[in-house]
Amino acid sequence: MNKSELIEELENRSDLNLKVSETIVNLIVDNMKKALFDEDRIELRGFGSFHIEYYKAYTGRNPKTGELIQVSEKRLPFFKVGKDLKERINQNGSK
Amino acid sequence: MTKADMVDLVYEQIGLSKRESARIVESIFDIIKETLEQGENVKISGFGSFNLQHKKPRRGRNPQTGEEITISARRVLSFKASNVLREQLNP
C-alpha cells in the first residue's frame, strides 16, 4: 500500500472527499516529519513510537569496489512497534 | 507528539469537529495496521516504509535457565526512513 492508496481507503471509510482525505494525510505526515526534525518523540498508542538516534561518523567501504569512504555523522528515525500491532502481525504470521 | 496532537491539528486546520477529527486520525492508523496485518507492506512516500520480515523458526535458549527452546516462525515489522526524510534530517 502506498500513500495514494491510503488516502483512497480513508475516503472510503469516512464522509470526506478525496481532496480533504489527501490534505489530512499530508498534514499528519508533514507534522510527523517536523516532530522528528525537532527530535520530538512520536508516540501512537496501539501502533508504535518513533524516536531519533545518532550515529557517529566512521570510515566505511563501498562493498562493491572496496574503496574507502568517509561516512559522516547522521541522525535517523527509529520505529518501535507497539504491543497491539506486534501481536496482530503475528497472529497471521506462522503461515 | 501523540494522537491527541494530531487530532488537534486536524481540528484546527481542517475545521472538522473534535469527534470527527479523532475518528479520522484513528482511521488512518487503523488502515495501516490492517494492511500490515494482512501481510502487505506500507510505503508513505517522503516519510518511509513499513516492511514485514519473515523470520524462520530457530533454536534458542532461555537466558535465565539455559533451557533450550524453539523460537517459532514469526513476522516482524521494520521501518525504513525514506531518502527524502534522511536528507531532511541531515542537511
Side-chain angles (χ1 to χ4, degrees), chain B:
Chain B
M1 176 182 232
T2 62
K3 268 186 210 165
D5 297 318
M6 295 180 179
V7 172
D8 285 344
L9 270 168
V10 175
Y11 169 70
E12 284 160 16
Q13 302 206 17
I14 309 294
L16 299 176
S17 69
K18 270 267 162 108
R19 195 191 159 87
E20 183 65 3
S21 302
R23 216 175 62 85
I24 295 296
V25 170
E26 206 59 52
S27 283
I28 292 172
F29 292 99
D30 279 349
I31 293 167
I32 298 176
K33 274 158 77 166
E34 284 166 29
T35 305
L36 292 168
E37 196 181 353
Q38 285 159 18
E40 193 187 330
N41 292 342
V42 176
K43 184 176 176 181
I44 307 296
S45 60
F47 185 72
S49 54
F50 298 93
N51 304 308
L52 292 158
Q53 279 162 10
H54 300 262
K55 300 282 183 187
K56 288 185 187 146
R58 61 186 170 92
R59 304 291 294 168
R61 245 175 230 284
N62 178 332
Q64 249 153 38
T65 64
E67 185 194 358
E68 267 215 15
I69 45 172
T70 303
I71 299 166
S72 54
R74 65 191 59 225
R75 289 201 300 215
V76 296
L77 183 59
S78 71
F79 171 75
K80 188 171 186 296
S82 78
N83 286 335
V84 174
L85 180 58
R86 290 167 80 109
E87 280 163 23
Q88 283 169 349
L89 290 171
N90 303 284

Side-chain angles (χ1 to χ4, degrees), chain A:
Chain A
M1 169 179 267
N2 59 29
K3 197 166 82 174
S4 329
E5 290 162 340
L6 169 63
I7 291 164
E8 281 167 23
E9 186 57 27
L10 181 62
E11 183 202 15
N12 289 340
R13 291 192 191 193
S14 65
D15 304 325
L16 306 172
N17 65 33
L18 193 63
K19 186 83 198 125
V20 177
S21 302
E22 184 181 13
T23 307
I24 293 177
V25 168
N26 285 332
L27 177 70
I28 289 177
V29 172
D30 286 348
N31 278 277
M32 288 172 78
K33 286 163 79 168
K34 207 157 92 190
L36 291 173
F37 187 84
D38 297 338
E39 297 181 13
D40 180 15
R41 205 180 140 81
I42 303 172
E43 221 162 322
L44 304 166
R45 184 159 301 190
F47 187 77
S49 62
F50 297 88
H51 69 277
I52 292 286
E53 267 182 32
Y54 275 87
Y55 288 82
K56 285 182 188 155
Y58 62 92
T59 307
R61 256 178 214 282
N62 179 332
K64 277 203 184 108
T65 62
E67 186 193 356
L68 281 174
I69 35 174
Q70 281 302 319
V71 180
S72 46
E73 184 184 45
K74 64 188 167 198
R75 54 178 191 167
L76 288 177
F78 260 77
F79 174 69
K80 185 168 185 291
V81 62
K83 193 162 176 276
D84 178 49
L85 181 54
K86 191 175 180 175
E87 284 169 3
R88 282 170 60 171
I89 283 170
N90 264 307
Q91 268 172 7
N92 305 319
S94 40
K95 62 187 175 192

